[in-house]
Amino acid sequence: MAPTYDVIVLGLGGMGSAAVQHLAERGARVLGLERFGPAHAHGSSHGGSRITRQSYFEDPAYVPLLLRAYELYDRVERDSGREIALLCGGMMVGRPECRTVAGAVRSARQWGLPHEMLDAREIRRRFPTMHPHDDEVALYEARAGLLRPETTVAAHLQLAAQAGAELRFEEPVTGWEELAGGRGVRVHTAENSCTAGHLVICPGAWAPGLLADLGVPIRIERQVMYWFAPEGGTEPYLPRRQPVFVWEEADGVQVYGFPAIDGPSGGVKVAFFRKNGAPCTPDTIDRAVAPAEAEEMAAAMRRVTPTLPGTFLRAVTCMYSTTPDEHFVIGRHPAHPGTTTVACGFSGHGFKFAPVVGEIMADLALDGRTAHPIGLFDPHRFAAAATTEAAVGARGGAR
């Protein structure tokens, strides 16, 4: 008996919503399954804003995907009628040799991306809220800015439904297996079971449970986003005056922030990047934020933008799904290469790639290959590293 669907997509957050959209628009019979409601706040694709940037300090290999993501965000905005991106400019700030600055410069130069280098005096002149030390500089990128994660997910789901996708919410997946002979997959939910020729898994923080046989050590971490009301009001922090920023301190700690985008009472959002990432699971994460955590964030912000932490307004938790090398995992499942494709381990910097990851998932599910450069994200790299470590250990023990 033929499978009911061409493709089933597990997880309809940032990546899964984009995957189900691309699959449906290519004419596939596609089912999307989500354990919560649409555009929910239980995982990682929430919090009102995410930074987007092209001068990517993590690795120049990401830049071609970012350029395509920008094209796709434009298309999603046009087709859905929703405002997703606000390109208010962005700064990568720190000492010239730090990863945040030097890595951004390397990507910008390698790919010919428009950018400016600002010394401390010029940073203070153009952006009076920012107070760098005299030995700090910034790469300024006019095409950087922010994305609205909940709106993005809703737009992807809207376009997927318009293209004929079947979307089911509040239906957790309890398990899945490959059919005999690799003829497809069967997925079990709390409600029923269904089959498809191919399975796309975009599990977010649920990766360790749904992908136990993937062979990728993914650490789920609790992270916190904070909102403060600046002293003197939000006017200096409005998008026409305040860029997004990632700021690396001398000790390597990174903080990041946004302009005020939600009106005078909405405050300004800031956070640490990866600092204090306590291990957790989706079931055990502590959603409460202690006063001491908010004070630690305020103290960090007083150094870089002194008027910002005037009054603490609120905080929200989310989860990072972090790989050992902090690069993504995108590709066919090593144990089920004929039937299953995975996208996970986005390590706290993946949301800006959502539409192009969806395009890649559709490529791999329907065609078995993609023209996008995804070698850096190969799931097999961790098995290869483990084999190398074992071999080195064996040689070491023989001496």
Side-chain angles (χ1 to χ4, degrees), residues 95-398:
R95 292 178 176 175
E97 69 278 7
C98 76
R99 181 192 184 199
T100 302
V101 175
V105 170
R106 182 164 64 114
S107 285
R109 290 176 177 171
Q110 179 170 325
W111 291 100
L113 301 174
H115 67 285
E116 300 176 67
M117 295 305 302
L118 311 179
D119 62 17
R121 178 180 295 181
E122 184 66 6
I123 295 169
R124 290 190 287 263
R125 185 187 73 81
R126 289 176 59 172
F127 306 109
T129 61
M130 315 304 281
H131 285 232
H133 288 312
D134 288 343
D135 62 350
E136 292 179 313
V137 300
L139 179 144
Y140 176 77
E141 179 186 342
R143 290 281 290 165
L146 62 92
L147 304 165
R148 295 279 199 174
E150 294 91 342
T151 305
T152 302
V153 172
H156 287 153
L157 296 175
Q158 170 192 330
L159 296 176
Q162 289 173 0
E166 180 181 344
L167 307 176
R168 299 186 198 167
F169 299 98
E170 308 291 348
E171 189 166 342
V173 170
T174 58
W176 63 277
E177 70 265 355
E178 192 171 67
L179 298 176
R183 294 180 293 106
V185 294
R186 179 175 288 106
V187 175
H188 306 281
T189 76
E191 304 295 328
N192 52 36
S193 296
C194 45
T195 59
H198 199 88
L199 179 63
V200 169
I201 304 180
C202 302
W206 286 262
L210 284 171
L211 293 171
D213 61 345
L214 183 62
V216 177
I218 296 176
R219 172 186 163 99
I220 309 304
E221 302 174 354
R222 174 186 180 269
Q223 294 289 339
V224 184
M225 301 171 279
Y226 303 85
W227 284 260
F228 292 89
E231 296 175 9
T234 57
E235 176 66 25
Y237 291 88
L238 294 177
R240 67 176 181 272
R241 302 178 64 180
Q242 173 72 32
V244 299
F245 64 87
V246 180
W247 199 310
E248 183 172 336
E249 296 278 40
D251 59 2
V253 172
Q254 292 168 303
V255 296
Y256 65 92
F258 299 81
I261 58 173
D262 295 319
S265 63
V268 175
K269 176 184 168 184
V270 295
F272 290 110
F273 188 34
R274 294 202 181 92
K275 188 174 186 286
N276 301 335
C280 67
T281 72
D283 294 327
T284 63
I285 181 173
D286 183 0
R287 299 284 183 181
V289 177
E293 294 181 277
E295 179 49 41
E296 182 185 20
M297 187 76 253
M301 296 313 302
R302 288 187 193 103
R303 214 289 284 167
V304 301
T305 176
T307 63
L308 177 54
T311 304
F312 171 66
L313 298 177
R314 66 188 186 282
V316 173
T317 60
C318 71
M319 290 175 283
Y320 286 4
S321 304
T322 303
T323 64
D325 59 10
E326 298 175 358
H327 294 310
F328 309 158
V329 177
I330 300 175
R332 289 294 185 96
H333 193 305
H336 312 282
T339 62
T340 306
T341 299
V342 299
C344 58
F346 286 94
S347 303
H349 62 111
F351 188 86
K352 63 185 73 67
F353 296 87
V356 70
V357 170
E359 186 171 62
I360 292 167
M361 293 292 98
D363 290 343
L364 296 176
L366 299 179
D367 304 328
R369 56 186 176 81
T370 183
H372 289 296
I374 60 171
L376 183 63
F377 315 130
D378 189 343
H380 291 87
R381 71 187 188 271
F382 298 103
T387 300
T388 300
E389 280 186 25
V392 169
R395 289 196 300 272

